[in-house]
Amino acid sequence: MSDWTSTQRNVAFASFASWMLDAFDFFLLVFVLSDVAANFHTSITDVSLSIMLTLAVRPIGALLFGRLAEKFGRRPILMCNIITFSLFELLSAWSPALEWF
């Protein structure tokens, strides 16, 4: 790591930070599962199912963004991915129903 260029360090940091934010989001949701179910007046099973479906479609997103990164470069696609992730995270705060969440 000591022989990395500043660009390589920045890319490693950006990749780790985006992974960390995604992992934080997932684990935080797992810890408040019962609160989310109570807020949406549904069962914990339904909220768990929505989390499972979210995890099930992750490979599709990885394939899509991976293909785009090969075509347009990793930096703009990573930035687009982080912005998209942040936007959807922000919008999830105002979800009117579990389906929107």
Side-chain angles (χ1 to χ4, degrees):
M1 273 173 78
S2 62
D3 58 342
W4 285 8
T5 65
S6 64
T7 301
Q8 290 171 324
R9 282 192 299 275
N10 290 339
V11 168
F13 174 74
S15 298
F16 177 75
S18 63
W19 171 83
M20 183 180 65
L21 289 172
D22 183 43
F24 176 74
D25 167 61
F26 174 72
F27 286 114
L28 184 66
L29 186 57
V30 170
F31 288 129
V32 296
L33 201 61
S34 60
D35 296 326
V36 171
N39 186 50
F40 289 124
H41 308 293
T42 188
S43 68
I44 294 176
T45 305
D46 290 340
V47 178
S48 299
L49 180 63
S50 69
I51 294 172
M52 190 270 308
L53 292 173
T54 301
L55 292 174
V57 296
R58 279 186 180 198
I60 297 169
L63 180 65
L64 175 69
F65 280 103
R67 292 274 206 191
L68 290 172
E70 291 297 320
K71 185 173 184 176
F72 299 109
R74 287 175 175 80
R75 180 182 296 168
I77 299 304
L78 178 61
M79 290 170 29
C80 177
N81 194 346
I82 292 172
I83 290 169
T84 304
F85 170 78
S86 300
L87 178 67
F88 279 104
E89 286 298 307
L90 194 59
L91 290 174
S92 72
W94 291 288
S95 299
L98 182 63
E99 292 79 17
W100 286 84
F101 183 70

